[in-house]
Amino acid sequence: MYFFDNASTTRVYKECVDILDEYNLNKYYNPSALYGSAVEIKKDIEKSRMEISALIKAAKGNIIFTSSGSEADNLALFGLKKAKGSRIISSRAEHSAVFNSVNQLKNNGFEVVFAETNKDGRVNEDSLYSLVNDNTSLVSVMHVNSLTGAVNNIGQISKRVKELNNKTIFHTDAVQSYGKLPFRLDNSSVDLYSVSSHKIHAPKGCGFLYIANGVKVSPLIYGGGQEKGLRSSTENAGAICAFSYASQKFFKTDKVYIKNLLIKTAQTLQENIEDLKIITDINNCAPHILCVAFKNLKSEILLHLLEKHGIFVGTGSACNSLKGNLRFAEELKLGKEYENGILRISFSEFNNEDECTFLCDKICEEVYSLSKKLF
């Protein structure tokens, strides 16, 4: 198998599987129980919280564990206390967990406006700043675009938004940037920061929301008051501890190695496929996401042809519908000839140069075959 869809999910570290086994087979106590063994599990969760907090310098806030990045986004956007009818600013290039949520907030009576997007998927900063007014309660801009890998400078953007309106809360979906780009929360004005576990070789079913001190968030799930009263439900101790382990390991991995695989693949495809659009700005992108578009080809067909060779790639976020992918195509101003041809190739430390060579060979082979059938 040649797995190049690492932006959708990743192979779990073997050590994380061992941690899950330990907590599911031996340490399976409810962390809220009062006997000693259960109290130890609660301590393990708190230790994991502190370890993750230290990695991103989150001492000025709290980390609330969730079941996913999407839940963390929803808790941030719907849980944040904000004046009814106030302005919410985002972009149409956001992940569906944010884009669909802000549209629901619009239905709930908030004024939702969208900043323009640059051709590589970055938010247009001038457009964004022009939308901030005295009535703006929330700005949500993702750190790394989940389709193109474009990097938004959220440290700079969050600070500028606060200068324009210091009461505005700034949220970022950091699902595609966590551990992949250097970032410190204590050097930014980010108030809410969403992360998912399974993008960094940890198990699915875990994520977290960082909430800065003083930011008022109400729970979406009510019950026993776990996670500081903000996320009731018995904690997934094994997944949380595995997430912490994966975070510490992943933060130390060689991102230059992954970026070099991306660059080599982009160059090879560009040299061998006529009319190929490299959407990703190689000079300003996360190390793992390469987005390309083929002229007059349907990427979904190409995806299934590659699958026959044991190659797995994506056509966009796995959480997006086809309609969602067309939203991105329109926002990136690709034009009719390219809008159905978007392919996302995403890398991890488990890929190597030989795999990339095989990937490029088969893409070129299948694109050539499809083009011959069309013309």
Side-chain angles (χ1 to χ4, degrees):
M1 179 179 72
Y2 303 85
F3 191 74
F4 288 96
D5 196 20
N6 292 281
S8 67
T9 196
T10 54
R11 171 180 166 182
V12 176
Y13 288 136
K14 176 61 169 61
E15 298 92 332
C16 290
V17 176
D18 295 339
I19 292 170
L20 283 180
D21 282 348
E22 179 67 12
Y23 282 90
N24 285 319
L25 298 176
N26 300 315
K27 298 180 178 181
Y28 50 83
Y29 316 106
N30 189 319
S32 296
L34 298 180
Y35 41 83
S37 296
V39 172
E40 291 303 311
I41 305 302
K42 188 72 171 178
K43 290 180 181 178
D44 290 345
I45 292 172
E46 293 310 311
K47 180 173 179 286
S48 296
R49 197 188 314 274
M50 292 176 62
E51 289 168 344
I52 290 174
S53 177
L55 287 172
I56 53 176
K57 309 301 180 188
K60 294 182 179 179
N62 293 301
I63 285 175
I64 304 300
F65 288 114
T66 64
S67 67
S68 65
S70 291
E71 186 192 338
D73 284 335
N74 275 256
L75 179 57
L77 298 174
F78 291 107
L80 177 68
K81 294 185 177 179
K82 46 200 177 293
K84 194 66 175 287
S86 59
R87 173 171 284 195
I88 295 171
I89 303 171
S90 190
S91 84
R92 290 189 175 87
E94 296 294 312
H95 186 277
S96 293
V98 170
F99 182 75
N100 290 338
S101 293
V102 296
N103 277 314
Q104 183 57 46
L105 287 168
K106 181 178 181 179
N107 294 337
N108 294 349
F110 291 91
E111 181 195 12
V112 172
V113 293
F114 295 105
E116 295 175 6
T117 305
N118 296 330
K119 62 181 181 179
D120 66 338
R122 285 180 297 119
V123 69
N124 184 294
E125 293 186 24
D126 290 337
S127 172
L128 174 68
Y129 301 146
S130 72
L131 297 174
V132 179
N133 62 15
D134 292 341
N135 195 40
T136 303
S137 61
L138 172 66
V139 172
S140 181
V141 174
M142 66 198 328
H143 193 178
V144 166
N145 187 285
S146 57
L147 177 64
T148 71
V151 178
N152 288 307
N153 188 343
I154 58 168
Q156 173 180 295
I157 295 172
S158 62
K159 289 177 180 178
R160 180 57 182 151
V161 166
K162 295 285 188 177
E163 290 172 357
L164 294 169
N165 183 342
N166 61 12
K167 294 181 180 179
T168 299
I169 300 300
F170 190 92
H171 166 253
T172 190
D173 180 324
V175 166
Q176 294 293 351
S177 67
Y178 178 73
K180 299 179 176 78
L181 297 175
F183 184 73
R184 297 174 54 132
L185 281 163
D186 62 352
N187 280 346
S188 77
S189 296
V190 172
D191 300 295
L192 299 165
Y193 180 87
S194 305
V195 171
S196 177
S197 62
H198 69 105
K199 311 294 187 179
I200 62 158
H201 310 289
K204 299 174 182 66
C206 192
F208 72 77
L209 176 67
Y210 162 84
I211 305 174
N213 294 334
V215 176
K216 296 180 179 179
V217 175
S218 298
L220 303 183
I221 300 173
Y222 291 84
Q226 290 89 345
E227 290 302 297
K228 306 182 187 299
L230 288 175
R231 207 272 177 182
S232 292
S233 185
T234 300
E235 300 95 333
N236 189 348
I240 289 170
C241 293
F243 188 13
S244 175
Y245 173 87
S247 295
Q248 294 172 81
K249 181 174 181 177
F250 186 76
F251 269 61
K252 297 174 183 176
T253 57
D254 186 0
K255 308 308 183 302
V256 174
Y257 168 78
I258 299 172
K259 182 67 176 288
N260 285 338
L261 295 179
L262 183 155
I263 293 170
K264 177 187 175 183
T265 301
Q267 290 175 341
T268 303
L269 293 177
Q270 186 83 79
E271 291 167 1
N272 290 279
I273 299 177
E274 190 176 356
D275 294 324
L276 179 73
K277 276 193 178 181
I278 304 290
I279 299 172
T280 299
D281 179 355
I282 304 301
N283 297 315
N284 183 30
C285 70
H288 65 302
I289 297 177
L290 173 65
C291 184
V292 301
F294 301 92
K295 186 177 181 180
N296 294 322
L297 292 181
K298 289 189 176 181
S299 58
E300 187 177 356
I301 294 174
L302 180 57
L303 178 150
H304 291 302
L305 289 171
L306 293 173
E307 187 179 357
K308 293 179 180 179
H309 299 287
I311 297 170
F312 297 90
V313 294
T315 58
S317 169
C319 300
N320 276 339
S321 63
L322 292 176
K323 183 178 179 182
N325 286 335
L326 288 175
R327 164 169 61 88
F328 278 106
E330 182 179 341
E331 197 63 21
L332 297 172
K333 302 175 180 63
L334 291 181
K336 293 290 183 182
E337 293 175 318
Y338 287 93
E339 68 179 11
N340 292 310
I342 298 174
L343 199 73
R344 184 182 68 180
I345 304 165
S346 47
F347 307 81
S348 83
E349 62 191 87
F350 292 107
N351 295 123
N352 59 51
E353 287 195 14
D354 288 342
E355 289 182 343
C356 292
T357 299
F358 183 74
L359 168 73
C360 292
D361 287 346
K362 294 306 175 184
I363 289 178
C364 293
E365 177 185 312
E366 296 297 351
V367 167
Y368 178 71
S369 178
L370 285 171
S371 298
K372 281 183 67 179
K373 290 176 183 178
L374 282 174
F375 301 105

